[in-house]
mmCIF file of all heavy atoms in Angstrom:
data_model
loop_
_atom_site.group_PDB
_atom_site.id
_atom_site.type_symbol
_atom_site.label_atom_id
_atom_site.label_comp_id
_atom_site.label_asym_id
_atom_site.label_seq_id
_atom_site.Cartn_x
_atom_site.Cartn_y
_atom_site.Cartn_z
ATOM 1 N N ASN A 1 -3.343 -8.929 -9.644
ATOM 2 C CA ASN A 1 -2.429 -9.966 -10.090
ATOM 3 C C ASN A 1 -2.317 -11.044 -9.005
ATOM 4 O O ASN A 1 -1.733 -10.812 -7.957
ATOM 5 C CB ASN A 1 -1.058 -9.362 -10.392
ATOM 6 C CG ASN A 1 -0.098 -10.359 -10.983
ATOM 7 O OD1 ASN A 1 -0.292 -11.558 -10.893
ATOM 8 N ND2 ASN A 1 0.953 -9.854 -11.584
ATOM 9 N N GLU A 2 -2.841 -12.194 -9.250
ATOM 10 C CA GLU A 2 -2.828 -13.265 -8.262
ATOM 11 C C GLU A 2 -1.481 -13.965 -8.168
ATOM 12 O O GLU A 2 -1.307 -14.852 -7.337
ATOM 13 C CB GLU A 2 -3.938 -14.261 -8.573
ATOM 14 C CG GLU A 2 -5.310 -13.635 -8.420
ATOM 15 C CD GLU A 2 -6.428 -14.602 -8.749
ATOM 16 O OE1 GLU A 2 -6.178 -15.825 -8.838
ATOM 17 O OE2 GLU A 2 -7.562 -14.127 -8.906
ATOM 18 N N ASN A 3 -0.514 -13.596 -9.014
ATOM 19 C CA ASN A 3 0.810 -14.209 -8.976
ATOM 20 C C ASN A 3 1.743 -13.545 -7.964
ATOM 21 O O ASN A 3 2.882 -13.968 -7.810
ATOM 22 C CB ASN A 3 1.460 -14.152 -10.367
ATOM 23 C CG ASN A 3 0.715 -15.006 -11.363
ATOM 24 O OD1 ASN A 3 0.122 -16.011 -10.998
ATOM 25 N ND2 ASN A 3 0.724 -14.599 -12.617
ATOM 26 N N VAL A 4 1.302 -12.516 -7.288
ATOM 27 C CA VAL A 4 2.127 -11.809 -6.310
ATOM 28 C C VAL A 4 2.260 -12.667 -5.055
ATOM 29 O O VAL A 4 1.269 -13.094 -4.468
ATOM 30 C CB VAL A 4 1.512 -10.430 -5.971
ATOM 31 C CG1 VAL A 4 2.276 -9.757 -4.852
ATOM 32 C CG2 VAL A 4 1.481 -9.550 -7.214
ATOM 33 N N SER A 5 3.495 -12.932 -4.644
ATOM 34 C CA SER A 5 3.747 -13.796 -3.490
ATOM 35 C C SER A 5 3.647 -13.049 -2.167
ATOM 36 O O SER A 5 3.233 -13.607 -1.152
ATOM 37 C CB SER A 5 5.129 -14.424 -3.590
ATOM 38 O OG SER A 5 5.221 -15.216 -4.742
ATOM 39 N N ALA A 6 4.056 -11.769 -2.151
ATOM 40 C CA ALA A 6 4.032 -10.970 -0.923
ATOM 41 C C ALA A 6 4.141 -9.497 -1.296
ATOM 42 O O ALA A 6 4.625 -9.159 -2.377
ATOM 43 C CB ALA A 6 5.184 -11.362 -0.009
ATOM 44 N N ILE A 7 3.705 -8.653 -0.374
ATOM 45 C CA ILE A 7 3.755 -7.210 -0.584
ATOM 46 C C ILE A 7 4.464 -6.581 0.598
ATOM 47 O O ILE A 7 4.196 -6.932 1.752
ATOM 48 C CB ILE A 7 2.335 -6.640 -0.721
ATOM 49 C CG1 ILE A 7 1.649 -7.282 -1.911
ATOM 50 C CG2 ILE A 7 2.360 -5.124 -0.857
ATOM 51 C CD1 ILE A 7 0.170 -7.150 -1.906
ATOM 52 N N ILE A 8 5.362 -5.644 0.296
ATOM 53 C CA ILE A 8 6.085 -4.917 1.334
ATOM 54 C C ILE A 8 5.882 -3.433 1.107
ATOM 55 O O ILE A 8 6.091 -2.926 -0.001
ATOM 56 C CB ILE A 8 7.593 -5.243 1.306
ATOM 57 C CG1 ILE A 8 7.810 -6.726 1.551
ATOM 58 C CG2 ILE A 8 8.335 -4.393 2.336
ATOM 59 C CD1 ILE A 8 9.243 -7.175 1.325
ATOM 60 N N GLY A 9 5.457 -2.732 2.142
ATOM 61 C CA GLY A 9 5.315 -1.283 2.081
ATOM 62 C C GLY A 9 6.355 -0.640 2.977
ATOM 63 O O GLY A 9 6.490 -1.020 4.146
ATOM 64 N N LEU A 10 7.122 0.291 2.439
ATOM 65 C CA LEU A 10 8.142 1.005 3.214
ATOM 66 C C LEU A 10 7.674 2.432 3.438
ATOM 67 O O LEU A 10 7.796 3.288 2.563
ATOM 68 C CB LEU A 10 9.490 0.979 2.473
ATOM 69 C CG LEU A 10 10.089 -0.407 2.255
ATOM 70 C CD1 LEU A 10 11.343 -0.323 1.398
ATOM 71 C CD2 LEU A 10 10.386 -1.080 3.578
ATOM 72 N N ASP A 11 7.112 2.683 4.611
ATOM 73 C CA ASP A 11 6.543 3.980 4.982
ATOM 74 C C ASP A 11 5.588 4.458 3.894
ATOM 75 O O ASP A 11 5.625 5.601 3.455
ATOM 76 C CB ASP A 11 7.634 5.017 5.254
ATOM 77 C CG ASP A 11 7.155 6.126 6.180
ATOM 78 O OD1 ASP A 11 6.399 5.827 7.121
ATOM 79 O OD2 ASP A 11 7.536 7.283 5.972
ATOM 80 N N GLY A 12 4.724 3.547 3.462
ATOM 81 C CA GLY A 12 3.800 3.818 2.368
ATOM 82 C C GLY A 12 2.868 4.980 2.647
ATOM 83 O O GLY A 12 2.295 5.081 3.735
ATOM 84 N N THR A 13 2.701 5.828 1.658
ATOM 85 C CA THR A 13 1.848 7.012 1.767
ATOM 86 C C THR A 13 0.413 6.616 2.092
ATOM 87 O O THR A 13 -0.305 7.368 2.745
ATOM 88 C CB THR A 13 1.910 7.820 0.458
ATOM 89 O OG1 THR A 13 3.275 8.136 0.191
ATOM 90 C CG2 THR A 13 1.127 9.106 0.554
ATOM 91 N N TYR A 14 -0.013 5.442 1.682
ATOM 92 C CA TYR A 14 -1.377 4.980 1.956
ATOM 93 C C TYR A 14 -1.686 4.960 3.445
ATOM 94 O O TYR A 14 -2.844 4.941 3.844
ATOM 95 C CB TYR A 14 -1.604 3.580 1.369
ATOM 96 C CG TYR A 14 -0.611 2.567 1.860
ATOM 97 C CD1 TYR A 14 -0.730 1.977 3.108
ATOM 98 C CD2 TYR A 14 0.488 2.229 1.077
ATOM 99 C CE1 TYR A 14 0.208 1.079 3.577
ATOM 100 C CE2 TYR A 14 1.427 1.320 1.529
ATOM 101 C CZ TYR A 14 1.285 0.752 2.771
ATOM 102 O OH TYR A 14 2.227 -0.139 3.233
ATOM 103 N N GLY A 15 -0.685 4.959 4.293
ATOM 104 C CA GLY A 15 -0.881 4.901 5.740
ATOM 105 C C GLY A 15 -0.873 6.240 6.439
ATOM 106 O O GLY A 15 -1.005 6.304 7.661
ATOM 107 N N PHE A 16 -0.725 7.335 5.702
ATOM 108 C CA PHE A 16 -0.751 8.667 6.304
ATOM 109 C C PHE A 16 -2.194 9.165 6.345
ATOM 110 O O PHE A 16 -2.937 9.012 5.367
ATOM 111 C CB PHE A 16 0.088 9.670 5.513
ATOM 112 C CG PHE A 16 1.532 9.296 5.338
ATOM 113 C CD1 PHE A 16 2.264 9.848 4.309
ATOM 114 C CD2 PHE A 16 2.166 8.395 6.169
ATOM 115 C CE1 PHE A 16 3.601 9.525 4.125
ATOM 116 C CE2 PHE A 16 3.496 8.059 5.995
ATOM 117 C CZ PHE A 16 4.215 8.628 4.973
ATOM 118 N N ARG A 17 -2.588 9.780 7.450
ATOM 119 C CA ARG A 17 -3.955 10.304 7.579
ATOM 120 C C ARG A 17 -4.253 11.235 6.409
ATOM 121 O O ARG A 17 -3.471 12.107 6.082
ATOM 122 C CB ARG A 17 -4.116 11.052 8.892
ATOM 123 C CG ARG A 17 -5.548 11.534 9.134
ATOM 124 C CD ARG A 17 -5.792 12.016 10.536
ATOM 125 N NE ARG A 17 -5.314 11.143 11.593
ATOM 126 C CZ ARG A 17 -5.880 9.978 11.975
ATOM 127 N NH1 ARG A 17 -6.931 9.539 11.340
ATOM 128 N NH2 ARG A 17 -5.368 9.272 12.958
ATOM 129 N N GLY A 18 -5.372 10.978 5.753
ATOM 130 C CA GLY A 18 -5.788 11.785 4.621
ATOM 131 C C GLY A 18 -5.239 11.321 3.285
ATOM 132 O O GLY A 18 -5.544 11.904 2.255
ATOM 133 N N SER A 19 -4.404 10.271 3.286
ATOM 134 C CA SER A 19 -3.776 9.816 2.042
ATOM 135 C C SER A 19 -4.158 8.394 1.659
ATOM 136 O O SER A 19 -3.576 7.830 0.736
ATOM 137 C CB SER A 19 -2.252 9.908 2.163
ATOM 138 O OG SER A 19 -1.857 11.236 2.372
ATOM 139 N N SER A 20 -5.131 7.812 2.325
ATOM 140 C CA SER A 20 -5.487 6.424 2.011
ATOM 141 C C SER A 20 -6.014 6.269 0.591
ATOM 142 O O SER A 20 -5.957 5.185 0.019
ATOM 143 C CB SER A 20 -6.511 5.876 3.009
ATOM 144 O OG SER A 20 -7.728 6.597 2.915
ATOM 145 N N GLY A 21 -6.479 7.363 -0.011
ATOM 146 C CA GLY A 21 -6.963 7.315 -1.386
ATOM 147 C C GLY A 21 -5.891 6.890 -2.374
ATOM 148 O O GLY A 21 -6.208 6.396 -3.463
ATOM 149 N N VAL A 22 -4.634 7.060 -2.010
ATOM 150 C CA VAL A 22 -3.541 6.589 -2.870
ATOM 151 C C VAL A 22 -3.725 5.103 -3.154
ATOM 152 O O VAL A 22 -3.459 4.633 -4.254
ATOM 153 C CB VAL A 22 -2.167 6.851 -2.194
ATOM 154 C CG1 VAL A 22 -1.044 6.162 -2.917
ATOM 155 C CG2 VAL A 22 -1.902 8.333 -2.062
ATOM 156 N N LEU A 23 -4.215 4.389 -2.169
ATOM 157 C CA LEU A 23 -4.464 2.957 -2.313
ATOM 158 C C LEU A 23 -5.918 2.680 -2.702
ATOM 159 O O LEU A 23 -6.188 1.998 -3.681
ATOM 160 C CB LEU A 23 -4.124 2.235 -1.007
ATOM 161 C CG LEU A 23 -4.369 0.733 -0.956
ATOM 162 C CD1 LEU A 23 -3.521 0.015 -1.986
ATOM 163 C CD2 LEU A 23 -4.069 0.213 0.441
ATOM 164 N N THR A 24 -6.849 3.240 -1.946
ATOM 165 C CA THR A 24 -8.260 2.893 -2.129
ATOM 166 C C THR A 24 -8.857 3.407 -3.437
ATOM 167 O O THR A 24 -9.866 2.868 -3.900
ATOM 168 C CB THR A 24 -9.112 3.390 -0.954
ATOM 169 O OG1 THR A 24 -9.008 4.818 -0.869
ATOM 170 C CG2 THR A 24 -8.655 2.762 0.357
#
């Protein structure tokens, strides 16, 4: 969605070792 102005992650699971697949 190109209409998104900004993204905020609050302790997002995508940043935990072994959990990047949540995003990727």
Side-chain angles (χ1 to χ4, degrees):
N1 185 342
E2 295 179 14
N3 294 330
V4 174
S5 299
I7 300 162
I8 299 171
L10 298 174
D11 205 38
T13 304
Y14 56 79
F16 302 158
R17 184 168 312 286
S19 298
S20 64
V22 169
L23 178 62
T24 61

